[in-house]
Amino acid sequence: MLRASHSLGVIFFPAYDWSISPTHPEREERLLYTQDQFREEGVFDIEGIGEYRPLVASPEDIARVHFCFPSVEAVTTHSHHISAGGAIRAAGLVLDKERERAFAIVRPPGHHAMRCVHGSRGFCNINIEAIMVEWIRERMGNVRVAIVDTDCHHGDGTQDIYWHDPDTLFISLHQDGRTLYPGTGFPAECGGPKALGRTINIPLPPRTSDAGYLMAVEGIVKPILDHFKPDIIINSAGQDNHYSDPITNMNFTAQGYARLTELLGPHIAVLEGGYAIKGALPYVNLGIALALAGVDYSAVREPDLDPERIREHQSTLDYIKALCDHLPQVYFEPTQREEVEREGRFFVRRRSIFYDTDGITENQIERLRDCPYCPGWLHVESASDRVPKSLGIHVPIQGCDNCVDEADALFRKAQADSSFAHVQLIDRVRKRIRHAR
Amino acid sequence: MHIGIDVGGTHTDGVLIKEGRVMAAAKEPTDGDLLTTITSVLRKLTAEAQGHAISSVNLSTTLSTNAIVTGTTEPVAVFAIPGPGIRAENYRIGDPFIVLPGAIDHRGTVTGRLRERDVAPHLAACKAANITAYAVVGKFSTRNPEHELFVADLLRPQAQVISLGHRVAEQLNFGRRVATAYFNSAAWRAFHRFAHALEGALAELGVQTEVNIVKADGGTMPLALAREIPVQSIFSGPAASVMGILAAAPQSEDAIVLDIGGTTTDIALLLDGTPLLERDGITLAGHPTLVRALQVTSIALGGDSVVRFEGGAFRVGPDRLGPCMAAGGPAPALMDAVNVLGYAHYADTERSMAGIRELAMRQGSSVRECARQIVDTAMGILSRAVGEFLALVNSRPVYTIQEILQERRLTPKQVLLIGGPAKALAPLVETALELPALVPPHSPVANAIGACLTRPTQGVVLTVDTARGRFTAPGLGIMKTVPRTYTLEQAVAEARALLSAELTRQGIRAHADDIHVLQAESFNMVENNVTIGRNIRVRCQLRPGVLTTLAA
């Protein structure tokens, strides 16, 4: 009998009754063959691996992270609450020490969902990792968290949510944004003025295969993780770097994913993208699950794998070698790489955000209080094709008394300001969530 | 008239039932030759039939289990075709255990070739070793059995029995299918000898009738089928008891069933009156299998569980030092405390009193108080176990949003008790579990009644890939082509029809209403943004149930 050397809880929720549309990559069939593979392999017969039901995330769990305009209900369906609930269940298993590690194989995904939500971007409505992390912090206080996003697409949503948080290290490895949605994720994007070097972007050339990918993990991710010493490591385990993925151009394999998982040793892995549902997902998910549990994965292999055909060019390896030489500086010697606009005591970002899945454009002005005592409170003015100008106010969990008071004062003032369609407050210090209108 | 016999580890029980009435019962110790014991019970019961025709003999037997557990099985060569995934070496069972190349994926597509020359050298080696029992199991063989069939064809000239993975179990789980097929071949010859002898014994007694074998899932199968898949006859004892309770006290709501013995209590659960099945199957000699069984949890608590006073508290069980003191045992046991409290007047109550008094003196309390604490401790163990079991069942994973939102929790409304101490413990259990408790009539022979009256269970699993036009019902050995337009509705209708036909073929009578559709799902298969077909999965089952209930 096989035995896990790290006990593992798997939350498997394929949502067999939900899709974006009948032929959309994010459809009922997506995890069907993964489930077949897990059953046929007898994954849950391995001693130390157990299967769990997801919880259902509450509106409060979601509103603790996001400004959902006009409301949580308007931008989510049951499926989103359950997929976030799956991630929360994973965290609960680890926090309660029922399992050493957990893997939430749930859908729909979440890593493109930013702080403000008007609809669906890159198949994501709400950020299931962020909802999980803030659920953890609601219970445990401000733990240090590292999120390593290994989806092929830049995790721009998670980056946005933790842009100003010095206690969350966000590392995204992805296909170079010049060649793939969402077109961001360059090394110069390295965190807001109060959290410089806490966002690390590692763009990889198209057709990078196992050697190149793992070189980046060992040369960039590992040293940074080791130095940051997070309390919890989370892997946003997108599987679309796979050589057979229909919507990306990378050449990663199931063996590569398993080795990557072994190197990262995450406490919690959460499925993100990955749409080669027949030829990749069953093997990649199996490889990740076995690697998480510390079980031999050496015979997990795609039936059509031809390592020679997908091997990267020497030039790709040289390019990644150069990244390994320079990119760690982003973390170890952080410098402001992008110009930051100021308005008095506030740092300002003006952005236009496109929601490709729903075809919405959002315009926002984000202001962060430059506070000498804490990372500063944040307020965002946001308007989209769907929702008129609205206001979101966020006080981080590290917030000082002064920031709490200032945010509160603005919230009260904004309530009386009819120019905002909706006004929402997230105060992580006093654990308050308030929605006016 | 129907005869039911349950061959237990210590006793063999038999009943003769006519039109829902127990006409006779017989009990023999199970010792020596199994067939002698069965024949003796049969002789007693047929004598009671007074010449009336016997229309069925149902047998629940531990025979193949014993053969497997005691290792009196013959060598089996196992041919595994694992393809990629977890290393096949982890499922090693049998000798030799041969790993062949070739692979089939989750959709039943051949993704790796298997050639005659890959198999040939192993054939010769097995022949040289005089091996005649084989098991052949491929990964995803239930989606496409062609590799298993290919190897079977090559083995046939030198084999007496070949168990094929897709025929012994239709569910997914390669490692369990390997073990199931192995055990099936291992138990095959012993079962055949037994079946042959049984038929001889029946002929000698002048009984000409159908013979059915009880399975661990609470159903029966005809003897002819049992000869093909003897592995399904293992561990049928607990199922026979539960089915016996359902015959004596039919249920329609959620309930708990307790079979309380001397050292252990078996706990089973009913959902809407139907016993709950294990998700996969039972574990045999340390190997998980796909032999479907009622989900039963056993705890080390029974009437003879010894009572100790240790560290200022009472412990009940987990062991037994002999019968309780009332029955001449060496140390006070749970039943003695029950005797003292007056819930029972079992055997020599004075000895019970003496035993508990000694404990009471050490504790410094009254005899009654001491007995009360002992009983409370025991009931605490029981209610904790029941609570944990319910929590486990109620947290089973589900895979649709609908199921999450409309959560159906198993909420027992009743406790049913059988076994020696059942009557005495019923009021205590009622209080401990806060549920009405019932001891059904004929409780002491519930196992034999269950064997007698339980009806067949049979299932059909089919998968259809309309893009390839492939239709597979592995358990029935059916692989055929269907048009691209094939629908889920057609698949459900066909599954029902196939199951009905199979039941008829086996001589099993069942109504169309008795067939339950457990799964009916259709998934769009999309390639390059175009729907190329549907992946359809249907499972139908004749659920566990009884042919007739006992007259009140």
Side-chain angles (χ1 to χ4, degrees), chain B residues 60-72:
Chain B
S60 162
T61 162
T62 57
L63 177 88
S64 26
T65 325
N66 282 348
I68 290 161
V69 174
T70 58
T72 57

Side-chain angles (χ1 to χ4, degrees), chain A residues 63-265:
Chain A
R64 188 181 294 132
V65 171
H66 292 291
F67 302 125
C68 291
F69 296 125
S71 64
V72 170
E73 299 76 52
V75 297
T76 58
T77 66
H78 290 306
S79 66
H80 301 107
H81 287 252
I82 297 171
S83 129
I88 289 175
R89 184 68 201 268
L93 291 175
V94 174
L95 253 49
D96 296 343
K97 303 208 186 314
E98 187 168 343
R99 298 279 167 177
E100 215 176 311
R101 294 174 174 181
F103 187 11
I105 309 179
V106 295
R107 53 179 287 267
H111 77 146
H112 294 304
M114 298 186 169
R115 177 76 73 193
C116 290
V117 177
H118 289 261
S120 182
R121 297 183 70 244
F123 321 159
C124 304
N125 293 49
I126 52 171
N127 195 303
I128 59 179
E129 287 90 347
I131 289 167
M132 171 179 82
V133 168
E134 297 316 311
W135 180 87
I136 293 172
R137 286 177 170 155
E138 188 77 0
R139 290 177 64 186
M140 310 287 291
N142 188 31
V143 291
R144 281 167 81 79
V145 175
I147 303 173
V148 183
D149 187 323
T150 50
D151 188 280
C152 191
H153 302 87
H154 174 224
D156 56 350
T158 315
Q159 168 170 307
D160 178 66
I161 291 168
Y162 291 109
W163 188 250
H164 299 298
D165 183 356
D167 294 318
T168 304
L169 172 67
F170 175 68
I171 305 178
S172 180
L173 297 102
H174 45 263
Q175 182 177 329
D176 195 314
R178 288 169 295 192
T179 61
L180 189 70
Y181 178 88
T184 51
F186 299 101
E189 299 161 43
C190 58
K194 296 291 187 173
L196 270 184
R198 293 299 193 242
T199 295
I200 314 287
N201 279 298
I202 309 174
L204 297 169
R207 289 182 291 284
T208 298
S209 189
D210 292 7
Y213 203 104
L214 297 173
M215 187 197 290
V217 173
E218 287 181 274
I220 306 168
V221 181
K222 280 299 278 179
I224 295 175
L225 266 187
D226 291 347
H227 183 270
F228 184 71
K229 295 188 180 58
D231 299 311
I232 297 171
I233 301 173
I234 292 155
N235 179 206
S236 290
Q239 305 181 359
D240 37 9
N241 290 293
H242 194 265
Y243 64 84
S244 67
D245 197 273
I247 59 176
T248 61
N249 315 93
M250 299 289 269
N251 276 337
F252 210 36
T253 68
Q255 276 294 313
Y257 267 108
R259 176 71 187 137
L260 158 72
T261 308
E262 196 169 69
L263 284 170
L264 291 179

